[in-house]
Amino acid sequence: SVSSSDCPRSKAAPLRRRAATYFLFPFLLLTVWLVVSPAVLAQGSSAGPAVIRYTASLAHPEKHLVHVTLDLPPGKPEHDLQLPVWNALYQVRDFSQYVTWVRAKDSTGHPLPLQLRDKSRWHLSGAEAGAEIEYEILADNPGPYGAQLNEQHAFFNLAEILMYPEEGRSSAVQLRFTNVPSGWRTATALVASSKNEFAAANYDLLVDAPVEIGTFRERDFDQGGGHYRVVVDADLADYDMEKLLPTVHRIVTAATTWMNDRPFDTYLFLYHFPRGPGGGGMEHANSTAIDVNTSVLANDPQAFADVTAHEFFHLWNVKRIRPQSLEPVDYTKENYTNALWFSEGVTNTVQDYVCLQAGLLDEPHYLTRLAGEIGELERRPAHLTQSAEDSSLDAWLEKYPSYLLPARSISYYNKGDLLGVLLDLTVRDASHGAASLRDIFQWMNQNYAHKGRLFPDSDGIRQAAEAVGHVNLETFFQKYVAGTEEIPWDDFLKSVGLHLVRYVSVVAEPGFWAVRNSDAPPVVSWIDPDGEAARAGLAADDSILEINGRVASSDFRQQFAEVQPGNMLHLLVRRGASQRQMAWKVGSHEDVEFELKDLDSVTPQQKARRAAWLSGQDQSDQDQLKQDQSIQKARP
């Protein structure tokens, strides 16, 4: 699952894409998908209130233009019509910038007064007998956070193209797609009332289900009582469905087992594998949309597993186990929360645990990855000035390159990931191995999600951890969640027989710093005025399109890490409307590297604690498993 810049792993471990967070519910979704009955869909039916109807025409894919018709039932004479200013990313993107025109008429075709009240809100008058609002909107933003219509496909985050009447967000809605090109099919988690027609109980549920329309491939499978759809819209030469499907299968098995829960009947994975700079994932209640660059997919299969595990676990953490500061959702302005360190960062923690349990990640690679996360935090001077909670609140600044500089900010993904590990180890230690992070999530699932309650941000997380671990965590949360105290890594790691080793290495110095926001190319945010990059002509705000002949995508920091001191660095950059090639010999500088190693003497107790930790189990579960295995072996 928010605006998202990338944070690097260690140089030996690939970059994991930070997923954006998408908050849409007026109240927490529980374990059912609300279905609108055919009777309710009949306007004026006695079975329920009249329905708000949308029609989206795809008649002009070559122009990227979507023609939307919004039909309002009779009733109120005046309405304020709102197009969201943000969606999918923690960025105000003002989707009204793409609206080319808007007009309204009554049932007889006579124009109705329509006045622009602010940049994204229109006031409609004379609508007591009902009204039809038409508008045209440009949709050409690719990726899981956008809305795009072209001659290859259509992909919509619906809040980016559909206005809503402010007083009608709770009304039942129906959406119909027309002028769909021949041969195109539709994939979405929305309830289908007929071909290319879909229904939802309200606007929030409607726009929390992305829609893919095109000539995609689909493979389905069943696991543990759930039905899973895997939809891919990409060039057939760029992926192998027979390799992807088992990975998805193993991830959903591991995650549902870890949570001991399956809050859906059907879940939809939507994948795009662009050849450009795309990358990232967007979580939704019963589906996810994911982009993985083709070169990343080919060179680093773990990246596919990482983003899949991350987005799938979001169906619990943030979509159902949900902080109270994010409700009610306001589409007209920033929605602030200090809990993203948990909702996003600790989802990264669990993502790795799921991959470990699924056999997609092993202990050495996980420990290298964890050391890389520690290094990322320690190398950012802002870890002494910005807390995990403050980083969560500042998420709305992530679209500004200067905010992402190491001296200005930390990542709530990065520190939250580490806090999830430390919280896990702390609870295990306090409970003598009888409780873990898994129990914290299961407790929150039972006490918040299943009861339709929102958790009270960091206080709710602390309450859950203290309940399962029977330990007072006030100091932990004051120092490391709300505060900026240095983390004594070895104090936490010794219970699993590990310690952190720091050493100095000589690494390449490219002479600049770049950041990547959502699925756009990396942008130069700082440049050494006396360095080789500046002498070669690189400038701040240049977009980096290629690094040594490869597309600069979600793994761009890993691409830079592969460059050795003294090597030539070749960049293709975009400045304004022009592109240019640049090359220079990189320098070098000393950097502190981090590695997790065994203590000089690891006790059997520490070995047992580490085995339980990396298996995602409590030690009581692991002991029972060993006992069962022993009994099984003893049987003739």
Side-chain angles (χ1 to χ4, degrees):
S1 6
V2 252
S3 64
S4 42
S5 63
D6 294 299
C7 55
R9 289 283 184 184
S10 69
K11 290 182 173 60
L15 178 75
R16 282 191 300 178
R17 181 69 178 95
R18 294 175 52 201
T21 306
Y22 187 14
F23 304 112
L24 284 174
F25 297 127
F27 193 69
L28 184 66
L29 263 184
L30 299 179
T31 59
V32 295
W33 180 253
L34 301 180
V35 179
V36 182
S37 71
V40 172
L41 292 177
Q43 181 170 321
S45 168
S46 60
V51 173
I52 295 172
R53 301 174 185 272
Y54 294 94
T55 302
S57 169
L58 311 186
H60 296 291
E62 76 287 352
K63 297 179 181 179
H64 315 295
L65 292 173
V66 182
H67 184 104
V68 179
T69 302
L70 167 58
D71 287 310
L72 297 178
K76 289 186 61 177
E78 297 190 0
H79 299 269
D80 280 333
L81 306 174
Q82 177 72 48
L83 186 64
V85 304
W86 72 279
N87 179 251
L89 295 170
Y90 279 116
Q91 296 177 15
V92 172
R93 292 189 280 166
D94 290 322
F95 303 113
S96 60
Q97 66 179 295
Y98 303 115
V99 176
T100 55
W101 53 262
V102 186
R103 56 177 175 253
K105 60 185 178 182
D106 62 18
S107 59
T108 66
H110 289 104
L112 293 177
L114 194 63
Q115 180 184 8
L116 187 65
R117 285 289 176 88
D118 61 39
K119 60 186 177 181
S120 298
R121 185 165 55 105
W122 291 260
H123 183 75
L124 174 68
S125 303
E128 56 272 9
E132 180 182 277
I133 300 92
E134 292 182 273
Y135 58 95
E136 188 176 74
I137 186 166
L138 181 72
D140 195 26
N141 289 320
Y145 321 117
Q148 183 178 51
L149 171 64
N150 58 30
E151 293 178 297
Q152 283 70 51
H153 80 142
F155 173 80
F156 299 125
N157 280 302
L158 293 171
E160 299 177 19
I161 65 169
L162 299 182
M163 299 180 185
Y164 63 89
E166 288 186 345
E167 79 291 344
R169 268 179 63 178
S170 61
S171 298
V173 291
Q174 185 177 29
L175 170 63
R176 179 167 62 103
F177 292 101
T178 62
N179 301 115
V180 177
S182 176
W184 285 19
R185 296 177 293 143
T186 302
T188 180
L190 290 169
V191 176
S193 52
S194 62
K195 184 178 180 181
N196 291 326
E197 292 192 12
F198 303 92
N202 55 56
Y203 178 85
D204 293 334
L205 294 176
L206 177 74
V207 300
D208 194 30
V211 179
E212 173 71 28
I213 308 175
T215 57
F216 52 80
R217 293 179 67 198
E218 178 173 348
R219 290 284 300 276
D220 296 9
F221 65 88
D222 295 316
Q223 167 62 39
H227 182 70
Y228 298 88
R229 302 173 61 194
V230 179
V231 167
V232 179
D233 180 77
D235 192 301
L236 293 175
D238 291 336
Y239 70 98
D240 184 346
M241 183 74 90
E242 300 309 315
K243 292 182 179 178
L244 301 183
L245 206 64
T247 297
V248 178
H249 198 157
R250 290 160 76 174
I251 286 169
V252 301
T253 301
T256 52
T257 299
W258 197 78
M259 283 298 292
N260 191 30
D261 188 41
R262 179 181 52 78
F264 56 84
D265 292 323
T266 299
Y267 190 90
L268 171 65
F269 292 91
L270 292 174
Y271 291 103
H272 301 128
F273 302 131
R275 294 179 179 178
M282 186 63 253
E283 71 276 359
H284 302 274
N286 290 333
S287 61
T288 181
I290 292 172
D291 278 22
V292 181
N293 170 266
T294 53
S295 64
V296 174
L297 184 67
N299 297 321
D300 180 19
Q302 186 63 43
F304 173 85
D306 287 343
V307 69
T308 299
H310 183 104
E311 301 309 328
F312 185 68
F313 191 72
H314 267 315
L315 72 89
W316 290 284
N317 197 22
V318 100
K319 299 310 294 187
R320 291 169 172 86
I321 301 173
R322 187 161 174 75
Q324 67 181 12
S325 52
L326 288 171
E327 297 294 341
V329 173
D330 189 336
Y331 296 110
T332 70
K333 62 183 181 181
E334 296 88 343
N335 292 197
Y336 294 102
T337 177
N338 66 7
L340 291 184
W341 68 269
F342 181 79
S343 296
E344 288 290 352
V346 182
T347 297
N348 268 0
T349 312
V350 179
Q351 157 196 319
D352 283 351
Y353 289 176
V354 166
C355 287
L356 280 164
Q357 292 177 65
L360 301 169
L361 189 63
D362 59 22
E363 178 177 338
H365 286 93
Y366 171 68
L367 294 181
T368 298
R369 173 174 282 195
L370 182 57
E373 289 292 327
I374 293 173
E376 159 64 12
L377 182 65
E378 293 284 332
R379 280 190 289 264
R380 298 187 76 90
H383 79 275
L384 298 173
T385 57
Q386 187 183 50
S387 70
E389 290 187 334
D390 288 347
S391 175
S392 300
L393 287 167
D394 281 342
W396 296 91
L397 297 175
E398 288 185 339
K399 69 178 180 179
Y400 303 110
S402 61
Y403 170 77
L404 299 170
L405 291 173
R408 172 61 180 90
S409 67
I410 63 169
S411 163
Y412 49 83
Y413 285 87
N414 167 238
K415 190 168 184 181
D417 186 352
L418 295 168
L419 289 173
V421 173
L422 301 185
L423 192 60
D424 189 6
L425 295 178
T426 298
V427 168
R428 288 178 184 274
D429 196 39
S431 66
H432 305 289
S436 65
L437 184 65
R438 182 193 66 174
D439 300 287
I440 295 173
F441 270 107
Q442 291 189 4
W443 189 95
M444 295 180 78
N445 200 37
Q446 290 296 325
N447 288 278
Y448 292 113
H450 287 182
K451 295 180 180 179
R453 298 170 56 210
L454 304 165
F455 72 85
D457 298 350
S458 293
D459 287 343
I461 302 159
R462 176 186 162 190
Q463 177 190 9
E466 291 180 341
V468 302
H470 304 289
V471 58
N472 187 319
L473 293 171
E474 180 180 4
T475 299
F476 179 97
F477 275 76
Q478 283 181 347
K479 286 184 175 182
Y480 311 125
V481 177
T484 58
E485 290 201 24
E486 292 277 22
I487 296 173
W489 302 105
D490 288 351
D491 290 352
F492 290 98
L493 293 165
K494 64 184 179 183
S495 67
V496 290
L498 294 170
H499 70 126
L500 185 67
V501 177
R502 297 168 173 84
Y503 60 93
V504 176
S505 65
V506 178
V507 298
E509 174 52 73
F512 69 95
W513 181 264
V515 297
R516 182 172 176 270
N517 188 12
S518 68
D519 53 0
V523 174
V524 177
S525 58
W526 172 86
I527 188 164
D528 180 357
D530 300 318
E532 292 299 320
R535 281 189 279 272
L538 192 69
D541 297 326
D542 282 351
S543 295
I544 301 173
L545 304 181
E546 292 183 0
I547 303 169
N548 288 338
R550 280 173 53 194
V551 171
S553 185
S554 57
D555 65 341
F556 79 100
R557 294 206 186 280
Q558 178 64 23
Q559 291 176 257
F560 283 133
E562 293 168 358
V563 179
Q564 299 300 311
N567 285 0
M568 291 297 295
L569 178 62
H570 298 266
L571 298 183
L572 174 64
V573 305
R574 182 175 62 221
R575 183 178 302 166
S578 65
Q579 296 183 11
R580 62 186 67 187
Q581 295 278 355
M582 295 181 182
W584 64 91
K585 184 181 291 187
V586 300
S588 64
H589 73 278
E590 290 187 345
D591 196 11
V592 178
E593 298 292 330
F594 298 81
E595 186 176 356
L596 290 174
K597 288 191 173 182
D598 286 348
L599 295 172
D600 291 338
S601 179
V602 182
T603 67
Q605 292 80 8
Q606 290 168 330
K607 289 180 180 179
R609 181 68 53 79
R610 189 191 304 184
W613 169 47
L614 296 179
S615 68
Q617 297 177 320
D618 301 340
Q619 282 181 272
S620 56
D621 295 336
Q622 192 180 49
D623 293 342
Q624 184 63 50
L625 178 62
K626 288 181 179 179
Q627 183 178 351
D628 292 344
Q629 290 173 339
S630 298
I631 293 173
Q632 186 67 32
K633 288 180 180 179
R635 288 174 179 169

